């Protein structure tokens, strides 16, 4: 078998952890498999590098940020290869560039366009274990270093698994699978044996960071089999795969939360056609992804308040831009609120069931949690709440939908 194994930040956090990873890799190879390893930077390293840049400039260039951030994964890839060699197995480390990971030119959140990987394929056939620095690629022609967005080593692994036609892509992390909600918040959360790409995509995009959203999108599109496992034990993990008959037929399958949310309100904009179009076009042109939008017409019908959410990491940039647009539109002002979180209940079974939203609202109300914004789709209901109630909300919703019990 050809197996891609990706190890996240906590799995390569220090020398002892890297040795443990190397042991697992060597064991997998000795069992007769070809192994390609993809590593993240040591836990906390990417944040540390971002912080360093921000001490120097409030607005560092994205091209240079990518070069800076890609260094964390270089370190762990080389150290992991050294550790494997130390155990008597041939290994070779590759940066994104050496692996031929070609991306578009959107710095800090580039998309992978293709992977050439000729050299890696050759040495793999010669019996080497290939270790790849995750999270990075290079642009076509100019060879600028790009990164794939936070958590992007998951995407590196899935894309490499596809490019090399691997039998499975194993994602090793600090939990032993995908749970009905974050097991670090709800100890009663239940591990899922299998989850469909679609449900995993919903959970990930609503904040369950166990897999990066784009990696799930990619795996779903090309049907790459993904298994989430722990690098700390040998427990069986969770298989992420196509929806099938024996998957659990439940209405709600999980609860997700996202603290990386900020709410911007434009107050008293004139209520006439074209206002929202202007506001959201300018924001989209700045590459900012808007999530929820709520518009309220005031009592006299002449003005409206528009509120929307963006990732907290984009909040300052969005605020500045929105203030400029608000001036042009003669709005009364703009406010920013960052102490919010989005809580979501997810399940493809919701398509054919009613009452999920009502139960969610009454559960939150029953615990004195105020709902600031709501959005729904056929497979999820999301509420924005005060961030300080995040853990409480996750717990009471997990309990109300009896997720610890299973089918
Ligand atoms: P890595 O550094 O290995 O990429 P991450 O921190 O990105 O790991 O993702 C693993 C974390 O995802 C877990 O520690 C857990 O707190 C969190 N998580 C959130 N939702 C879930 C869920 N539904 N199932 C499992 N883990 C979850
Ligand atoms: N090191 C990067 C991050 O922290 C990528 C990853 O860990 O997947 O976002
Ligand atoms: Mg991650």
């Amino acid at each position: 078998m050809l197996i891609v194994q990706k190890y996240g930040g906590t799995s390569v956090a220090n020398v002892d952890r890297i040795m443990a990873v190397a042991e697992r890799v060597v064991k997998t190879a000795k069992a007769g498999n070809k192994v390609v390893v993809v590593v993240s930077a040591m836990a906390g390293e990417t944040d540390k590098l971002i912080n360093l840049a921000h001490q120097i400039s409030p607005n560092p260039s994205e091209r240079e940020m990518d070069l800076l951030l890609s260094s964390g994964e270089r370190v762990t890839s080389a150290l992991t290869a050294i550790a494997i060699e130390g155990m008597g197995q041939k290994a070779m480390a590759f940066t994104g560039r050496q692996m031929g990971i070609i991306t578009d030119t959107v710095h800090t959140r580039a998309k992978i366009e293709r992977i050439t990987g000729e050299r890696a394929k050759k040495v793999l056939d010669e019996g080497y274990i290939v270790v790849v620095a995750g999270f990075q690629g290079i642009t076509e022609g100019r060879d600028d270093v790009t990164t794939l967005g936070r958590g992007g080593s998951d995407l590196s692994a899935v894309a490499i698994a596809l490019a090399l036609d691997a039998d499975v892509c194993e994602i090793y992390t600090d939990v032993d699978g995908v749970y009905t909600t974050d097991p670090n918040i709800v100890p009663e959360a239940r591990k899922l044996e299998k989850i469909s790409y679609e449900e995993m995509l919903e959970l990930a995009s609503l904040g369950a960071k166990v897999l990066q959203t784009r990696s799930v999108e990619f795996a779903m599109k090309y049907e790459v089999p993904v298994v989430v496992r722990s690098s700390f034990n040998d427990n069986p993990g969770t298989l992420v795969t196509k929806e099938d008959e024996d998957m659990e037929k439940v209405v709600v399958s999980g609860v997700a939360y996202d603290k990386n949310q900020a709410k911007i309100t434009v107050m008293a904009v004139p209520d006439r056609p074209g206002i929202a179009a202007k506001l959201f076009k300018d924001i989209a042109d700045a590459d900012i992804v808007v999530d929820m939008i709520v518009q309220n017409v005031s009592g006299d019908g002449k003005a409206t308040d528009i509120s929307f959410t963006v990732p907290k990491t984009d909040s300052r940039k969005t605020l500045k831009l929105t203030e400029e647009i608000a001036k042009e539109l003669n709005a009364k002002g703009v406010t920013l609120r960052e102490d919010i979180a989005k809580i979501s209940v997810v399940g493809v079974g919701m398509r054919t069931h009613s009452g999920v939203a009502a139960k969610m609202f009454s559960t939150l109300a029953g615990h004195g949690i105020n709902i600031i914004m709501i959005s729904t789709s056929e497979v999820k209901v999301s509420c924005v709440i005060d961030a300080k109630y995040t853990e409480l909300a996750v717990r009471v919703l997990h309990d109300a939908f009896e997720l610890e019990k299973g089918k």
Side-chain angles (χ1 to χ4, degrees):
M1 290 229 291
L2 172 55
I3 302 179
V4 173
Q5 298 189 330
K6 177 259 171 178
Y7 292 91
T10 41
S11 303
V12 293
N14 53 46
V15 168
D16 286 347
R17 295 298 313 147
I18 290 176
M19 295 302 276
V21 164
E23 261 172 44
R24 189 183 292 268
V25 171
V26 168
K27 201 170 135 201
T28 314
K30 282 197 171 148
N33 301 296
K34 286 188 183 171
V35 192
V36 176
V37 184
V38 177
V39 285
S40 288
M42 291 180 180
E45 183 62 23
T46 308
D47 288 332
K48 200 168 98 194
L49 294 169
I50 293 175
N51 193 5
L52 276 177
H54 284 148
Q55 283 179 41
I56 293 173
S57 161
N59 221 344
S61 107
E62 291 191 329
R63 180 185 178 279
E64 275 54 45
M65 282 308 280
D66 274 352
L67 187 59
L68 175 69
L69 298 194
S70 69
S71 68
E73 272 74 7
R74 274 188 173 224
V75 170
T76 46
S77 63
L79 290 176
T80 305
I82 292 169
I84 296 170
E85 292 249 295
M87 293 172 188
Q89 199 85 23
K90 291 196 289 185
M92 208 182 276
F94 291 81
T95 63
R97 174 198 300 265
Q98 291 171 319
M99 188 65 200
I101 300 180
I102 313 293
T103 72
D104 63 15
T105 56
V106 184
H107 282 291
T108 76
R109 49 189 178 283
K111 285 207 175 73
I112 296 180
E113 286 178 346
R114 62 200 166 81
I115 298 180
T116 53
E118 294 312 325
R119 176 94 193 282
K121 281 182 209 158
K122 191 163 163 278
V123 301
L124 198 59
D125 286 339
E126 290 167 4
Y128 282 82
I129 290 167
V130 166
V131 186
V132 186
F135 183 48
Q136 55 190 278
I138 50 160
T139 62
E140 185 95 70
R142 296 176 86 159
D143 285 5
D144 279 331
V145 174
T146 49
T147 62
L148 309 176
R150 295 309 303 269
S153 298
D154 293 337
L155 176 61
S156 307
V158 174
I160 288 170
L162 178 74
L164 300 180
D165 198 20
D167 295 284
V168 62
C169 178
E170 298 179 334
I171 305 285
Y172 286 89
T173 181
D174 56 0
V175 288
D176 60 4
V178 180
Y179 281 71
T180 46
T181 193
D182 188 341
N184 289 319
I185 292 191
V186 183
E188 297 79 27
R190 191 167 47 85
K191 186 165 79 182
L192 304 166
E193 198 186 316
K194 278 199 232 175
I195 185 169
S196 66
Y197 291 121
E198 194 182 6
E199 249 162 4
M200 189 63 240
L201 184 59
E202 279 300 322
L203 281 177
S205 65
L206 294 168
K209 65 177 180 154
V210 59
L211 285 175
Q212 186 216 28
T213 307
R214 282 166 59 185
S215 73
V216 184
E217 243 163 28
F218 194 100
M220 177 156 103
K221 186 164 170 197
Y222 299 104
E223 296 188 7
V224 180
V226 173
V227 177
V228 178
R229 300 187 57 180
S230 168
S231 70
F232 293 78
N233 58 48
D234 286 323
N235 298 348
T238 300
L239 174 66
V240 188
T241 185
K242 273 200 323 196
E243 196 172 344
D244 67 28
E245 283 304 300
D246 54 288
M247 260 173 201
E248 296 184 12
K249 294 277 175 289
V250 291
V251 179
V252 171
S253 54
V255 178
Y257 65 93
D258 184 355
K259 290 184 176 176
N260 181 29
Q261 293 275 314
K263 171 174 165 253
I264 291 189
T265 302
V266 193
M267 289 173 301
V269 277
D271 189 22
R272 56 179 157 80
I275 297 286
K278 161 87 182 135
L279 177 63
F280 293 110
K281 179 173 186 308
D282 285 7
I283 292 172
D285 285 349
D287 258 332
I288 296 162
V289 181
V290 172
D291 181 15
M292 292 190 192
I293 301 175
V294 174
Q295 177 176 332
N296 271 325
V297 181
S298 68
D300 61 9
K302 287 193 188 121
T304 140
D305 283 355
I306 300 179
S307 291
F308 57 95
T309 58
V310 293
K312 206 179 272 175
T313 31
D314 286 333
S315 63
R316 296 283 147 187
K317 190 168 149 192
T318 316
L319 179 65
K320 208 166 147 252
L321 188 68
T322 310
E323 278 169 347
E324 284 162 22
I325 305 166
K327 227 181 247 158
E328 273 177 54
L329 298 177
N330 276 324
K332 207 164 138 200
V334 181
T335 60
L336 167 67
R337 186 166 170 194
E338 292 194 310
D339 59 339
I340 57 162
K342 181 170 71 175
I343 309 293
S344 309
V345 297
V346 177
V348 289
M350 269 183 219
R351 282 199 198 108
T352 48
H353 276 77
S354 57
V356 173
K359 187 165 179 176
M360 180 174 187
F361 304 156
S362 62
T363 303
L364 294 175
H367 290 82
I369 301 171
N370 187 39
I371 299 171
I372 302 169
M373 289 168 108
I374 298 169
S375 90
T376 63
S377 80
E378 56 172 7
V379 294
K380 65 119 206 256
V381 184
S382 301
C383 295
V384 168
I385 61 169
D386 193 323
K388 69 173 184 249
Y389 295 123
T390 309
E391 284 77 12
L392 175 65
V394 171
R395 265 189 228 115
V396 297
L397 289 171
H398 193 273
D399 192 44
F401 287 100
E402 301 185 348
L403 296 182
E404 73 288 352
K405 285 197 186 140
K407 38 184 162 178

